Amino acid sequence: MHKEQSQKKLARQLRTLIQNGETLKAYELFSQFDDEVTDIELLLEAGKCNYFQVKHKEAIGFLKQAHDIQSDHSEVRQMLWSSYRDCRMYDEMLELTAEISKNILSTAELMMVYRAYLGVCDWHKARQYQQQLIELGKDGKIDANMLPALLIETCALPDIDQASVRDLHCQFGTTLFNSRKHDMPSSYPAEKNLSGRMKIAYISADFNFHP
């Protein structure tokens, strides 16, 4: 019981660090753990710790164990799919994609299936999900962290009308603005004719949630 509780506690600590963007600290903390990992949530977070340090093969090891414990755990499936893709294990990625497509649990998984078929140039299968995803994006039903990938992978496809591409970009801009409203100064918009230099910052498309 103590072992199970300690693994769950560590999993919560790792998740908090990763959610706060402190992926290296999470990896270093997990590296101090020298016991066998048996808890599914700790297996998931261990997979993330390795994934965000570009240790995809190590991530796959933990995530496959988690998938064996619970094959319909959506977050496990998403992280395992991403690890296969980034490790260029396309056969394994497509095998998992076929499994997910039989029981899609979320919009994120729907998008993964679509991206998998786009990634291997299976246009016929990709188009089965394309219009549905575009409509979900335009309606604001796709997570802001996932929208950049959809924008990148659809903007060059010739069979998508440019109005839809524009609407997707507008939706992303609105989502980004709303997610950062709390960071704006109370005097926003700023007064005119301010002296000094303007600081311009770059915001990564996935809000810094990447290796």
Side-chain angles (χ1 to χ4, degrees):
M1 180 63 72
H2 175 71
K3 178 180 178 181
E4 180 181 343
Q5 290 177 342
S6 65
Q7 292 203 11
K8 290 187 180 300
K9 179 181 178 180
L10 178 57
R12 290 193 296 269
Q13 292 174 328
L14 295 175
R15 178 176 284 269
T16 298
L17 286 171
I18 292 171
Q19 287 177 337
N20 291 334
E22 299 181 279
T23 56
L24 180 57
K25 283 187 179 180
Y27 176 77
E28 291 172 343
L29 176 60
F30 178 71
S31 297
Q32 299 171 19
F33 185 78
D34 57 3
D35 202 354
E36 179 186 5
V37 182
T38 55
D39 179 74
I40 185 171
E41 295 303 324
L42 184 54
L43 286 166
L44 169 60
E45 301 307 323
K48 290 182 189 177
C49 287
N50 282 276
Y51 177 84
F52 293 125
Q53 299 306 312
V54 202
K55 297 178 180 292
H56 297 131
K57 290 185 178 179
E58 292 84 349
I60 288 169
F62 290 113
L63 294 166
K64 282 184 69 176
Q65 290 182 62
H67 186 258
D68 289 341
I69 294 173
Q70 186 179 342
S71 61
D72 63 348
H73 191 299
S74 185
E75 195 172 3
V76 169
R77 300 202 305 190
Q78 292 176 54
M79 287 303 306
L80 183 56
W81 180 91
S82 297
S83 299
Y84 281 148
R85 179 201 59 191
D86 292 353
C87 208
R88 298 185 179 182
M89 298 173 64
Y90 296 120
D91 289 340
E92 290 82 355
M93 181 193 75
L94 288 174
E95 183 178 344
L96 182 59
T97 298
E99 174 191 322
I100 293 172
S101 67
K102 295 175 183 176
N103 182 27
I104 296 174
L105 300 174
S106 65
T107 302
E109 288 195 347
L110 177 66
M111 190 163 160
M112 278 194 326
V113 172
Y114 175 65
R115 294 180 65 198
Y117 292 130
L118 276 185
V120 297
C121 302
D122 190 337
W123 314 119
H124 176 71
K125 286 186 178 179
R127 285 193 181 96
Q128 295 177 24
Y129 305 94
Q130 185 167 285
Q131 192 56 42
Q132 183 182 0
L133 272 172
I134 290 173
E135 294 303 322
L136 287 169
K138 289 161 62 177
D139 291 342
K141 296 179 180 178
I142 293 180
D143 186 272
N145 293 323
M146 303 290 288
L147 269 176
L150 182 61
L151 292 171
I152 291 168
E153 294 179 351
T154 57
C155 65
L157 295 177
D159 58 337
I160 298 179
D161 65 282
Q162 291 305 299
S164 293
V165 174
R166 178 204 62 209
D167 290 344
L168 285 173
H169 279 82
C170 289
Q171 181 59 48
F172 176 58
T174 300
T175 304
L176 177 62
F177 178 82
N178 289 335
S179 69
R180 289 296 180 264
K181 262 186 174 179
H182 61 278
D183 294 330
M184 294 180 181
S186 58
S187 61
Y188 182 86
E191 298 176 5
K192 296 181 180 179
N193 303 319
L194 293 177
S195 59
R197 296 187 176 186
M198 177 185 294
K199 293 183 178 180
I200 300 176
Y202 166 76
I203 302 176
S204 61
D206 57 2
F207 302 101
N208 206 35
F209 197 66
H210 60 265

